[in-house]
Amino acid sequence: MKQYITHMPERSQSCRKQAATLCLSAVITALLPVTVHAGSPEFARTSEEWAALQDNVLEYNELADLIHEYNVTVQNNQYTYNKFIKDYGRTKTDVADKYRELAEDLEDDRTGEDGAGRITDYQLEQQAKQLREQADDNVEDSRTYQLTYAKAEDSLVQSAQSNFISYYKNQLELESALETKKTLENAYSLAAAQRQAGTVTDTDVLDAREAVLNQETTIANLEQTIENTRQTLIVTCGWQGSDQPEIQNVPEVELAQIDAIDLEADKQTALETNYTLRINQIKLENAENAENKENIQKTIDANKRQIGVSVTSAWQSLNTARLSYEQAISDEAAEERNMTLAQQKWNAGMITKYDYENQQSTLASKKLAVQTAQLDLLTALENYRWNVNGLASAE
């Protein structure tokens, strides 16, 4: 059985500190969720590659490798796949033969007795019949299982990318919320001063104060969301939720990457890589019954149409995200000009401190909007890439 080595990131108080070579089945049998071993043998990677995965730093471009090596779901799926091959074989014929063998075993267990024994025998005969029907209709083999688990792994990577981006996007939302709180506090201070002057009521002051308190609640909720997202992300990559790996910045999107996209070529690639379509094509290859073949072929035709729609939709969303990003940059530039003008007026004594600080807050919000739009653009680009590389919706 394949051995799982102990190459693992050296996390502080992490589950990867122990050094013992165990196969995956032993890990599962021992029920030690705090021990996560790499899913590949040592020779599968260079020492430099292992070292990069063993540090206490989480980088965006490491997500796929970390999940492949340390994600528990991926390792369990690999164990299940290996067990399937051991128990049922690799080909459609192997699987069908195993079903028939199981049917024969059930029939051998019949007692031939009257009363309760007769009922038991009938149940065994029905189960054996079902197994033989499964054998006759079987279109699965080790390839369909392997593709199913490969799809699951890629979906985990896609989810991790989304959480990685959300982790930073939520932090930008927190910064924006803090800026909003400053503005609300300024409004509260102004309302209090105006109340002293008799130009507003007590209700106006209380409303301004309540707005500040509500914003503090928003900030607290965002802080909790950030922590929840952080924990989900690092656990997916093999750390414990209590660990504190350094999470590096997300990569910036270069617009030239989008300009270089060939939509029609990518649609063809999506048809070649799509997991659902490939699985159904194998099922068609394995099918023997004419009616079954016809139904699978209809499913494949629908898969192909839907994949094209999915890629096109992802492409449109990417372009929309790009326009939003470019608009955010334009809005920031306009607000920079407003800030320059406000600075001049402030120096000349033409505006109040309240107005000047509000302009500063507005500019800060526009800068955060640019960063948020860039994260949205990265999300859209990754979604398009996954559509092209196997995960386009096919149903």
Side-chain angles (χ1 to χ4, degrees):
M1 183 174 288
K2 183 177 179 181
Q3 297 294 310
Y4 288 78
I5 66 169
T6 56
H7 275 271
M8 59 194 76
E10 296 174 354
R11 321 301 188 191
S12 174
Q13 299 300 320
S14 171
C15 57
R16 300 177 180 172
K17 288 284 190 177
Q18 300 185 29
T21 302
L22 294 174
C23 65
L24 180 57
S25 60
V27 174
I28 295 173
T29 302
L31 297 177
L32 296 174
V34 297
T35 303
V36 180
H37 299 276
S40 299
E42 185 173 3
F43 60 77
R45 299 180 185 275
T46 66
S47 58
E48 291 78 11
E49 290 171 336
W50 282 120
L53 296 181
Q54 290 169 12
D55 60 23
N56 203 38
V57 178
L58 175 54
E59 298 182 43
Y60 188 84
N61 62 5
E62 291 180 339
L63 290 174
D65 289 335
L66 286 169
I67 288 171
H68 181 74
E69 299 298 349
Y70 303 113
N71 183 270
V72 174
T73 297
V74 171
Q75 292 192 351
N76 285 345
N77 286 345
Q78 183 61 48
Y79 170 78
T80 303
Y81 174 68
N82 291 338
K83 190 174 188 303
F84 171 83
I85 293 176
K86 178 181 178 182
D87 292 344
Y88 290 91
R90 293 184 177 274
T91 69
K92 171 221 171 176
T93 301
D94 292 337
V95 176
D97 288 345
K98 185 62 178 181
Y99 285 147
R100 295 188 179 96
E101 179 185 330
L102 292 172
E104 292 175 0
D105 291 342
L106 288 175
E107 290 173 338
D108 290 342
D109 288 338
R110 291 177 297 183
T111 65
E113 299 175 355
D114 292 332
R118 181 173 295 179
I119 296 175
T120 300
D121 287 351
Y122 175 77
Q123 293 173 337
L124 292 173
E125 288 170 0
Q126 291 302 307
Q127 292 173 11
K129 179 181 178 182
Q130 291 175 356
L131 283 169
R132 286 198 170 89
E133 289 174 351
Q134 283 182 271
D136 293 338
D137 296 336
N138 176 59
V139 292
E140 304 278 358
D141 60 26
S142 63
R143 294 174 298 170
T144 62
Y145 280 86
Q146 188 276 326
L147 287 173
T148 298
Y149 293 138
K151 178 182 179 181
E153 182 172 339
D154 278 355
S155 296
L156 282 170
V157 176
Q158 182 185 33
S159 178
Q161 289 176 339
S162 177
N163 284 325
F164 200 115
I165 294 169
S166 292
Y167 174 72
Y168 279 102
K169 187 174 179 180
N170 290 336
Q171 290 193 45
L172 292 177
E173 290 179 13
L174 178 59
E175 288 185 48
S176 179
L178 291 170
E179 285 295 332
T180 299
K181 182 186 175 185
K182 289 180 183 178
T183 300
L184 293 173
E185 287 174 336
N186 286 341
Y188 171 61
S189 298
L190 178 62
Q194 289 174 331
R195 181 67 187 91
Q196 290 291 331
T199 57
V200 300
T201 66
D202 288 339
T203 299
D204 295 322
V205 177
L206 290 174
D207 287 345
R209 176 57 180 163
E210 184 178 3
V212 174
L213 294 175
N214 288 339
Q215 190 63 16
E216 289 176 348
T217 299
T218 298
I219 290 169
N221 289 337
L222 279 170
E223 289 173 339
Q224 185 60 56
T225 297
I226 290 171
E227 176 58 18
N228 291 343
T229 302
R230 187 195 72 83
Q231 290 189 30
T232 300
L233 173 61
I234 66 172
V235 168
T236 300
C237 295
W239 279 272
Q240 294 185 38
S242 58
D243 290 336
Q244 295 292 328
E246 178 185 345
I247 302 178
Q248 295 290 291
N249 290 328
V250 295
E252 293 187 5
V253 177
E254 296 181 4
L255 297 183
Q257 295 175 301
I258 301 175
D259 293 334
I261 290 175
D262 184 336
L263 178 59
E264 294 306 315
D266 283 348
K267 285 183 181 179
Q268 182 58 43
T269 300
L271 291 173
E272 296 168 359
T273 61
N274 187 265
Y275 287 110
T276 300
L277 177 58
R278 291 163 65 192
I279 290 170
N280 286 330
Q281 288 170 333
I282 293 172
K283 289 180 178 180
L284 179 61
E285 175 189 325
N286 287 337
E288 296 180 357
N289 179 280
E291 182 180 356
N292 199 12
K293 283 186 176 182
E294 182 180 355
N295 290 334
I296 296 174
Q297 184 60 59
K298 289 180 180 178
T299 299
I300 288 174
D301 293 340
N303 290 158
K304 291 179 178 179
R305 289 192 297 271
Q306 184 56 40
I307 289 168
V309 171
S310 184
V311 173
T312 300
S313 177
W315 168 247
Q316 292 170 342
S317 296
L318 176 57
N319 280 286
T320 299
R322 176 177 181 165
L323 290 174
S324 297
Y325 173 61
E326 292 173 340
Q327 182 62 54
I329 292 176
S330 177
D331 291 345
E332 180 191 20
E335 212 57 54
E336 288 278 10
R337 293 191 293 271
N338 290 338
M339 187 69 241
T340 299
L341 181 60
Q343 181 68 55
Q344 294 171 349
K345 289 182 177 181
W346 169 251
N347 292 338
M350 298 172 62
I351 59 173
T352 66
K353 180 181 180 182
Y354 174 79
D355 292 331
Y356 180 69
E357 290 180 347
N358 276 352
Q359 181 57 50
Q360 287 181 316
S361 181
T362 300
L363 176 59
S365 296
K366 294 299 182 182
K367 290 182 177 296
L368 291 173
V370 171
Q371 297 177 61
T372 299
Q374 187 173 62
L375 292 177
D376 289 339
L377 182 60
L378 176 60
T379 298
L381 179 57
E382 293 291 22
N383 181 56
Y384 177 80
R385 286 169 171 167
W386 281 118
N387 266 267
V388 174
N389 294 316
L391 296 182
S393 175
E395 299 174 344

